[in-house]
Amino acid sequence: AVGLDGGDGALAPVRTGRRIGALALGIALVVPLVLPSLDGGILGPSGTGVGSGTGGGGTISAVNPLVSLQNSLNQPEDREVLTYRTNAPDTSGMYLRIVSLDEFDGTTWRPSVRSITDVPSRLPAPRGLAADVRRTEVTTRISAADWYAQDWLPMPYPATRVAIGGHWRFEHIGRTLVGDHGQTTRGQTYTVKSLQVRPTPEQLADAPPPPADIVRDFTKVPGSLPAVVASTARKVTAGAVNDYERAVKLQDYFAVSGGFTYNTQVKAGSGVDAIARFLKQKEGFCVHFAFSMAAMARTLGIPARVAVGFTPGSPTADGAMSVGLRDAHAWPELYFEGVGWTRFEPTPTRGSVPEYTQDDPSTGSSSAPAAPTESASDLPTAAAPSASANCPAAERRMGDCGGTA
């Protein structure tokens, strides 16, 4: 399990097929893990199958999907994992999401045990997304490196259609695809239609209370969590009048005003007090920031989980986007009724700050881009890099990059 466990307890069971040459590594908020070799990619294989039989049922067990983010971020060479082309007008928010971690016991974040089904021709509508929230359906064609083999499929979120060969299953709560019976991403090329959802700050601020089951499942905070986590959350969000304002204050505390430093080499320790130590030492990498913001949001009654995947990557000379090991990332998702699961970015100098969390967001063109064609023969053309994509991360975070191209 990934999280805040100490190193003395037994490791959570890992699915069969563990790679030869695995090594143990204890990192910051992450428990000592049995890690696959580099050829295993960011996420190790989950075994020969995820269901009972050849399809139509089964579950995803609560095994750890997050392996050695820190190891990937510290590689001396930024090895290319994925390339993609998209007709999205702006790639700054094109995070390639792999899986979400939604169970938190105070020392661990992990995915819940979920039912999986065959992949529908069109994925169900994202839960909580109302018709009046602005969105554009875009098309992205993704190619995975021949050496990158793992079970969960990196996709823009939320995906609406996925065209891919092989044996894949769908988990509807996390909206993830997982390989069945040995299926991995190795060498796969696939096309994903997804929504770029752009809520306004007003829509988030006016969000009604979330459904009871969302509150029940995604605001659980164990009694073992140090009291300083909740007290810091209340202090940071003092004066906020709704959950949206509280979420933005939490994000800004970590990313801008709290004096935190991004450092992939940090060793903050592990165990139940790891978040408390991080809040005191104020130094860490994306796992620290995402885990801490999600935990603090839960103490405020805001449904939260942690997503794992990649930041959008970098444009190449031929107009594609290249995603490397050092783009591995974790970020919090908070739930707002009427919008659904919503990305926040608390990690300083990483990724992009969502425009709906900025005081004066740059909206670019006032008219929504045309929806992409449904024709399978029309491969997406590469979007011109936006000003946001070309702007240094520190300037993006301060809103000094101007409008999008």
Side-chain angles (χ1 to χ4, degrees):
V2 169
L4 317 177
D5 299 40
D8 297 333
L11 291 173
V14 180
R15 294 185 187 181
T16 57
R18 180 181 298 166
R19 297 199 183 277
I20 297 174
L23 64 155
L25 173 67
I27 57 172
L29 292 163
V30 183
V31 297
L33 300 171
V34 177
L35 304 177
S37 65
L38 181 62
D39 287 348
I42 304 301
L43 305 182
S46 62
T48 57
V50 295
S52 54
T54 58
T59 60
I60 298 174
S61 60
V63 274
N64 167 31
L66 175 61
V67 232
S68 189
L69 253 175
Q70 188 176 39
N71 187 47
S72 299
L73 294 169
N74 286 326
Q75 288 298 316
E77 180 181 354
D78 190 12
R79 198 173 183 186
E80 187 175 77
V81 177
L82 305 162
T83 60
Y84 66 91
R85 292 178 180 272
T86 182
N87 62 359
D90 179 11
T91 60
S92 64
M94 184 69 71
Y95 283 44
L96 298 176
R97 184 176 175 278
I98 297 174
V99 69
S100 65
L101 314 178
D102 49 25
E103 282 197 5
F104 178 50
D105 64 7
T107 62
T108 308
W109 283 92
R110 66 184 67 172
S112 299
V113 176
R114 302 291 192 198
S115 298
I116 54 176
T117 65
D118 292 333
V119 181
S121 58
R122 185 171 182 89
L123 305 188
R127 183 168 184 188
L129 180 59
D132 61 343
V133 175
R134 185 162 57 105
R135 88 286 306 272
T136 304
E137 189 175 60
V138 300
T139 305
T140 305
R141 189 162 179 82
I142 304 169
S143 295
D146 289 338
W147 63 269
Y148 178 58
Q150 56 105 14
D151 291 346
W152 281 270
L153 192 68
M155 301 185 297
Y157 183 87
T160 56
R161 292 179 186 267
V162 184
I164 187 171
H167 305 284
W168 296 91
R169 308 296 298 284
F170 177 63
E171 191 277 293
H172 74 283
I173 294 179
R175 300 185 67 86
T176 56
L177 261 65
V178 61
D180 198 5
H181 296 282
Q183 179 67 59
T184 73
T185 55
R186 186 188 297 274
Q188 286 277 346
T189 295
Y190 52 101
T191 301
V192 180
K193 290 183 180 293
S194 61
L195 298 178
Q196 288 197 321
V197 180
R198 292 186 171 87
T200 65
E202 292 76 18
Q203 287 172 322
L204 290 163
D206 294 339
D213 62 318
I214 294 286
V215 174
R216 181 189 66 240
D217 293 341
F218 296 98
T219 62
K220 293 178 181 177
V221 177
S224 60
L225 192 67
V228 69
V229 179
S231 63
T232 302
R234 291 192 299 270
K235 180 179 179 181
V236 168
T237 60
V241 298
N242 54 58
D243 284 347
Y244 164 71
E245 290 187 8
R246 294 181 186 97
V248 172
K249 283 179 176 288
L250 287 177
Q251 174 182 270
D252 290 349
Y253 170 66
F254 288 112
V256 180
S257 63
F260 288 85
T261 302
Y262 179 78
N263 182 0
T264 63
Q265 303 290 340
V266 71
K267 292 181 175 65
S270 61
V272 71
D273 294 321
I275 290 182
R277 283 194 292 273
F278 170 60
L279 294 176
K280 180 179 179 180
Q281 297 174 4
K282 297 192 173 186
E283 190 174 38
F285 64 107
C286 58
V287 168
H288 299 76
F289 291 94
F291 285 10
S292 298
M293 179 171 169
M296 291 169 73
R298 285 194 173 192
T299 68
L300 299 172
I302 306 173
R305 63 189 186 187
V306 174
V308 178
F310 299 97
T311 53
S314 305
T316 63
D318 66 354
M321 297 291 290
S322 174
V323 178
L325 282 173
R326 293 177 188 167
D327 293 310
H329 196 43
W331 61 94
E333 294 178 337
L334 277 55
Y335 185 89
F336 292 88
E337 185 65 15
V339 178
W341 288 105
T342 306
R343 177 179 70 88
F344 287 80
E345 186 50 89
T347 306
T349 75
R350 291 283 289 169
S352 63
V353 178
E355 66 177 27
Y356 46 79
T357 68
Q358 300 175 38
D359 291 335
D360 186 18
S362 174
T363 58
S365 173
S366 59
S367 59
T373 176
E374 295 292 329
S375 172
S377 64
D378 291 336
L379 291 183
T381 57
S386 67
S388 177
N390 291 329
C391 177
E395 293 182 26
R396 286 203 308 269
R397 200 165 289 283
M398 298 306 294
D400 293 332
C401 296
T404 56

